[in-house]
Amino acid sequence: MTTTEPTQPQNQPQPMMSLSFSSQMSKEDEEMARSALSAFRAKEDEIEKRKMEVRERVKAQLGRVEEETRRIASIREELETMADPMRKEVNWVRKKIDSVNKELKPLGSTVQKKEREYKEALDTFNEKNREKVQLITKLMEMGQLVGESEKLRLKKLDELSKSIDTE
């Protein structure tokens, strides 16, 4: 709000000279205010212009960063595909080895169990075989004794028979 006349208290009269000086000051104040306002606006415009420039530079830099990120991702992908066939094969072989190891563990336990059972059965077989050999040996000895006993009985029978015939 700009007025050419300054506000004055109603009860105090002002001299004429001061009124003209006051209106002159008012015009100077108004001019200074306009000048300050326009300088302020110019500064604001300059600041806004610089903000926009910085934003554009940041945006351009972000664009370059994104482009470089895509390029790096592409290079990484290409490297992975170059190493990938061997890696896949190696991983497959490792998985297969792990799988076979998992199958071997219970089989190894089974083999050990069967070996123990086999050893026990073999020990039992050998023991029974020795017992059989001992029994056969005893039987053969008994057979000889029975044979000798039979000879003695036959001899006695012959003697008895002769003694009966002679009487």
Side-chain angles (χ1 to χ4, degrees), residues 50-83:
R50 284 189 181 176
K51 274 178 150 177
M52 292 301 282
E53 287 174 0
V54 168
R55 278 189 192 139
E56 289 300 317
R57 282 189 295 204
V58 166
K59 193 174 181 180
Q61 187 119 10
L62 282 174
R64 285 192 298 273
V65 166
E66 287 175 0
E67 185 178 321
E68 287 300 314
T69 302
R70 283 191 295 272
R71 193 170 73 87
I72 288 171
S74 170
I75 290 170
R76 181 177 292 136
E77 224 174 88
E78 193 174 318
L79 285 173
E80 286 177 4
T81 57
M82 289 171 71

Side-chain angles (χ1 to χ4, degrees), residues 122-134:
L122 184 62
D123 288 346
T124 304
F125 174 78
N126 287 336
E127 187 179 320
K128 292 295 179 183
N129 209 16
R130 280 191 294 274
E131 188 178 335
K132 176 183 152 189
V133 168
Q134 288 174 350

Side-chain angles (χ1 to χ4, degrees), residues 14 31 45 59 72 84 93 96 110 112 114 141 149:
Q14 289 278 334
E31 190 61 36
D45 288 346
K59 193 174 181 180
I72 288 171
D84 197 42
V93 169
K96 200 70 174 164
T110 303
Q112 288 176 348
K114 295 292 181 184
E141 289 173 0
S149 174

